[in-house]
Amino acid sequence: MQCVVTGGNVKVLGKAIHSLSRIGDELYVEPQEDGLALRSVNSSRSAYACFLFAPLFFSRYAIPTGLNFRCKMAIKSVQSVFKSLATLEKTVEKCHIGLDEQKDRLTFTLHCKHGLLKTHNLSYQDSESLEAVFDKNSCANVFRAQPRVLVDTVVHFPTSLEEVTVTVSDERMWVRNHVEDEAERSKAMLTELCLAADEFDYFAVKAHYSITFCLKEFRGLLLFAESTGLPVSMYFDEPGSPVVLSVTDSVLEGNFVLATLSDNHDLHKSNRGGDADQPHPPDDFMSDDMDAYLIAMDTSAAPGPSTADPPPPSLATFRKPPAPNYRTRTHSEEEEEDDGEEDPERPPDKKFRSLFFGSVLPPSSQMNTQPLTTQEVLASDSEDETEAE
Amino acid sequence: MKFRGKITDIACLNHFTRVVTTISKLTKTCVLRLTPDHLFFILPGKVTNGGVGMWCQLLQANFFQEYQMEGVTSEVQEICLEVSPEPWSRALKTVQSAKSVKLKLTRKHCACVTVAAELPTLSSVGRVVTHDVPVDVIPRRLWQEFQEAGVPDFDVSVYLPPLKTMKSVVDRMKNLSNFLVMEANLNGDMNLKIQTDLVSVTTHFKDLGNPAWGVDSSQDGGPSQSRDPEVMAEVTVDIRKLQQFLMGQQVNPSKALCNIVHQNVVHLVLLHEDVSLQYFIPAVA
């Protein structure tokens, strides 16, 4: 495989990688016929991002026909190739990406000014295919806005804030910070911002939903959108269904799929004075129609020198949500992602985790103590034994 | 009990933000006292704060273009709230380009001060961002704690050297010792001294000038008559408290002075056209 990226596109590629680093620790690389796919997922599988660079993005895109290759590597090492994007823009003329299957390496060669060549040999691991299945077009609510509008919105929220709630009516969108427990509510500052429909390039609301999702990953997408100036499209449905954020142009497409809390009360009707006395949302994971979840993760293993057997797709795509009385988030996502070794006994930290996956397993009320073995795909760590390595 | 203030002038907004940010760097929580003419940010000097006291007074008319308040009762036109200035500072910093910023006392899930800013947008409808910052209303029986301490009976009063210079000196001294001696005399001399087993460092400031207090601005100055102008009044303080005071300063004062009560307390006073800040650092026991 040989890909060459030239000129300004090197910076775009670098930005995409930095954006993906906000999602997960690993970069999944898959050269396809329709382009190079770079993906990432967070450890709790509640956020997924994919950038697809079409062959036209590259000045040369040559993959051998029938190449069925996918790998993953530590995203930090790829980031270090593209660190300091400002100098990259000024000094790098082209970036050559080559695959050395013999040595299990991807080679990034930066051709810089004055004949300087910087070569980075990054080892990869074989991995299963990582592809979220989602359907933007079936979402009830669709929006598109210039990145500046969204950046100006999130600036009002502290960087440490985890979750935001977005509520829409026919003409307006409200964004406010989400405060989980009652105790915090009396001490925390509540911030709310209202955007009018005419600030958007496109604003189509079919249902007045209110969704809550993680701000950190949203900021990851905005990082990319702002630097490239591409408008951001947002698609969402009822709470519990993931929200999809996209940027597109003729040679690339980026999709960020974020899980949303499934038990939001629609606080805002037409009056903004919204009742802040939100009762503790009832946990009704058990009764959710699992098939309604749009995201299914296809984790079939790649053919290749892997030793583990691929898990049957049905188990991989659906998984049971944790028990209702379970979990308060105590740590931000950062901590979860940085957690190298996961204790498999530890119950999942995030409510969101459930939202990607439905379940074919019988519900149990003992989630907390249930050993992981019955939860084969409970991916608090992306390196669990169901993946091919 | 009602309060509503509106700032529409960008310079006032900027100035107010800087005052709130200075307060937020000095203390995590403090008392906000509202009267028809003034706002006070008060930190009573208690053992729990390490004895540090703060008193900041703002003339409301110089900041707010609109200001209405109603006190706890019709006779008592005052409101006392316990606030945490840091979220205010954060909220205000992000709305510097706002067309208007309103501060209101509201009751949401609890008593809050709401910062509501109207932001300029390209669309026909303005964008409004609101920040609800929870506050605690302080009952009247505790109000006597929050009266102005008054200027202490000081031994020496001297103008401070430029705060930036003081800060860089104190920052370096902090690496060597936890305690610093501040001393000054009526000749306009001030020394900052630290002493450890291995080293002692003194920084001398001269010709600072002594402010004239009292009815007769005689040479003696201050309540202690016929004090030898060469004799130093000194206080040993915890260097971190002095550093915290110097670090937080966001507003350039038109006058900065310091009153020293020998071996007792350092009273720092920063005066600006529309805001005054007093900070008390006690001597270490």
Side-chain angles (χ1 to χ4, degrees):
Chain A
M1 175 191 97
Q2 309 280 334
C3 309
V4 180
V5 184
T6 46
N9 282 354
V10 178
K11 184 177 176 203
V12 174
L13 182 65
K15 266 286 180 208
I17 289 169
H18 286 298
S19 274
L20 289 171
S21 72
R22 300 290 183 97
I23 300 282
D25 285 333
E26 283 171 328
L27 182 69
Y28 290 75
V29 180
E30 185 170 351
Q32 296 164 184
E33 289 217 0
D34 57 349
L36 181 69
L38 299 176
R39 302 187 178 98
S40 187
V41 70
N42 73 352
S43 51
S44 56
R45 304 267 169 163
S46 60
Y48 161 92
C50 172
F51 281 97
L52 182 67
F53 295 96
L56 283 175
F57 176 81
F58 303 89
S59 56
R60 182 160 171 248
Y61 185 73
I63 55 167
T65 45
L67 175 72
N68 192 357
F69 167 81
R70 52 184 84 84
C71 69
K72 65 180 180 185
M73 50 181 66
I75 207 167
K76 281 202 162 55
S77 19
V78 191
Q79 267 186 294
S80 65
V81 177
F82 296 97
K83 69 172 174 238
S84 177
L85 288 171
T87 37
L88 212 75
E89 204 179 353
K90 291 188 211 130
T91 55
V92 176
E93 285 158 5
K94 64 182 184 185
C95 170
H96 178 274
I97 307 171
L99 171 64
D100 184 346
E101 277 188 275
Q102 240 75 3
K103 296 189 188 157
D104 281 353
R105 289 205 302 220
L106 264 180
T107 304
F108 287 80
T109 310
L110 297 174
H111 296 249
C112 309
K113 276 194 197 153
H114 314 300
L116 193 68
L117 276 178
K118 291 186 198 171
T119 311
H120 300 254
N121 296 314
L122 305 174
S123 302
Y124 61 75
Q125 295 166 314
D126 285 318
S127 82
E128 79 289 3
S129 157
L130 182 81
E131 206 169 327
V133 172
F134 55 91
D135 184 7
K136 295 190 275 201
N137 299 320
S138 70
C139 285
N141 298 332
V142 181
F143 311 92
R144 191 169 65 244
Q146 294 302 314
R148 192 93 284 262
V149 172
L150 298 171
V151 168
D152 284 346
T153 303
V154 300
V155 77
H156 295 280
F157 297 91
T159 41
S160 57
L161 177 69
E162 296 194 352
E163 287 146 358
V164 282
T165 302
V166 171
T167 308
V168 291
S169 73
D170 289 331
E171 292 289 314
R172 299 231 191 293
M173 177 187 280
W174 288 272
V175 183
R176 62 184 194 282
N177 61 327
H178 177 79
V179 182
E180 276 270 332
D181 37 84
E182 288 297 323
E184 263 186 65
R185 210 183 298 278
S186 56
K187 285 183 282 180
M189 174 164 94
L190 294 180
T191 301
E192 184 177 286
L193 181 70
C194 178
L195 295 166
D198 57 2
E199 296 198 64
F200 291 79
D201 294 345
Y202 184 79
F203 193 95
V205 172
K206 288 208 197 100
H208 296 181
Y209 288 130
S210 179
I211 55 166
T212 301
F213 56 90
C214 201
L215 187 59
K216 175 187 166 217
E217 285 128 7
F218 184 59
R219 284 193 213 256
L221 173 76
L222 287 183
L223 195 76
F224 182 80
E226 204 192 1
S227 85
T228 51
L230 291 171
V232 177
S233 299
M234 189 169 168
Y235 306 81
F236 65 88
D237 234 342
E238 77 264 332
S241 262
V243 53
V244 182
L245 302 151
S246 304
V247 287
T248 329
D249 84 1
S250 51
V251 292
L252 67 87
E253 185 181 332
N255 286 306
F256 276 54
V257 186
L258 311 177
T260 63
L261 276 184
S262 75
D263 35 35
N264 246 331
H265 285 233
D266 192 346
L267 292 187
H268 280 264
K269 311 297 174 193
S270 49
N271 55 326
R272 257 196 28 166
D275 101 284
D277 282 336
Q278 186 185 359
H280 199 62
D283 275 292
D284 54 357
F285 288 126
M286 299 298 214
S287 55
D288 281 345
D289 177 7
M290 296 304 140
D291 293 335
Y293 290 118
L294 291 184
I295 297 190
M297 301 298 277
D298 177 5
T299 53
S300 56
S306 59
T307 49
D309 285 335
S314 59
L315 276 176
T317 51
F318 289 98
R319 182 182 4 129
K320 178 196 172 321
N325 53 354
Y326 165 68
R327 192 205 77 83
T328 44
R329 172 185 315 206
T330 49
H331 299 293
S332 70
E333 278 203 358
E334 263 114 69
E335 202 166 301
E336 195 137 352
E337 282 157 9
D338 290 344
D339 218 356
E341 53 290 332
E342 289 294 281
D343 174 9
E345 298 297 317
R346 193 189 78 186
D349 270 347
K350 301 171 92 60
K351 254 187 208 158
F352 289 149
R353 199 180 297 225
S354 68
L355 305 172
F356 272 92
F357 301 89
S359 173
V360 295
L361 301 173
S364 151
S365 56
Q366 297 293 325
M367 249 320 276
N368 300 22
T369 54
Q370 211 166 23
L372 195 62
T373 45
T374 63
Q375 296 292 316
E376 270 137 333
V377 212
L378 194 67
S380 47
D381 176 347
S382 54
E383 312 253 349
D384 67 298
E385 59 270 355
T386 57
E387 293 174 8
E389 291 197 327
Chain B
M1 208 171 26
K2 276 197 243 177
F3 164 62
R4 182 184 171 278
K6 187 165 165 183
I7 305 177
T8 47
D9 179 81
I10 287 223
C12 291
L13 178 60
N14 188 273
H15 194 30
F16 187 69
T17 305
R18 283 194 277 135
V19 172
V20 174
T21 305
T22 302
I23 304 285
S24 72
K25 294 203 160 69
L26 291 176
T27 174
K28 282 207 157 58
T29 60
C30 67
V31 171
L32 172 63
R33 195 173 136 215
L34 299 162
T35 67
D37 295 319
H38 292 96
L39 288 91
F40 302 92
F41 289 96
I42 305 165
L43 183 68
K46 288 206 198 98
V47 179
T48 43
N49 323 323
V52 165
M54 175 193 75
W55 180 274
C56 179
Q57 186 168 323
L58 285 81
L59 194 60
Q60 81 50 20
N62 286 356
F63 292 91
F64 293 90
Q65 278 68 53
E66 285 171 33
Y67 186 93
Q68 294 123 27
M69 70 154 287
E70 269 175 38
V72 279
T73 68
S74 46
E75 297 94 39
V76 181
Q77 284 299 317
E78 275 193 29
I79 300 173
C80 276
L81 306 165
E82 188 177 335
V83 304
S84 174
E86 202 262 327
W88 280 30
S89 162
R90 261 192 290 125
L92 288 168
K93 279 198 270 205
T94 54
V95 297
Q96 289 298 297
S97 58
K99 290 197 276 205
S100 76
V101 176
K102 272 185 248 175
L103 267 83
K104 303 185 272 205
L105 190 59
T106 55
R107 178 163 282 279
K108 302 268 166 87
H109 48 278
C110 62
C112 284
V113 167
T114 297
V115 179
E118 206 185 309
L119 299 166
T121 61
L122 296 169
S123 87
S124 50
V125 182
R127 199 186 299 163
V128 178
V129 60
T130 58
H131 300 270
D132 296 319
V133 187
V135 296
D136 281 318
V137 178
I138 299 180
R140 279 187 64 187
R141 60 171 196 278
L142 299 173
W143 284 18
Q144 66 267 36
E145 288 181 34
F146 311 120
Q147 301 308 309
E148 188 165 2
V151 181
D153 206 6
F154 52 83
D155 297 306
V156 170
S157 178
V158 68
Y159 285 113
L160 288 170
L163 294 179
K164 278 204 168 65
T165 314
M166 266 187 89
K167 178 178 175 306
S168 56
V169 168
V170 172
D171 279 347
R172 281 173 188 79
M173 286 182 164
K174 179 173 168 295
N175 294 330
L176 298 170
S177 166
N178 282 335
F179 302 106
L180 174 138
V181 173
M182 271 183 88
E183 61 177 24
N185 66 19
L186 289 171
N187 257 351
D189 298 328
M190 175 191 271
N191 299 331
L192 299 173
K193 306 197 293 203
I194 54 160
Q195 178 116 33
T196 68
D197 291 336
L198 296 173
V199 66
S200 72
V201 183
T202 307
T203 304
H204 304 268
F205 296 96
K206 291 196 172 330
D207 296 327
L208 294 170
N210 301 86
W213 292 83
V215 181
D216 52 329
S217 46
S218 59
Q219 279 307 78
D220 296 2
S224 48
Q225 259 81 5
S226 54
R227 185 192 164 87
D228 181 354
E230 286 296 322
V231 171
M232 292 280 183
E234 68 168 52
V235 180
T236 306
V237 298
D238 181 338
I239 204 172
R240 284 163 301 187
K241 299 199 173 103
L242 182 61
Q243 191 194 33
Q244 189 172 22
F245 172 77
L246 293 167
M247 253 190 347
Q249 293 313 312
Q250 304 253 313
V251 186
N252 275 330
S254 35
K255 271 198 185 156
L257 54 97
C258 158
N259 298 327
I260 300 181
V261 181
H262 188 66
Q263 301 291 15
N264 195 325
V265 68
V266 173
H267 176 217
L268 298 150
V269 182
L270 302 181
L271 294 172
H272 194 276
E273 197 178 284
D274 29 30
V275 59
S276 73
L277 176 64
Q278 300 176 49
Y279 202 70
F280 299 83
I281 307 180
V284 289

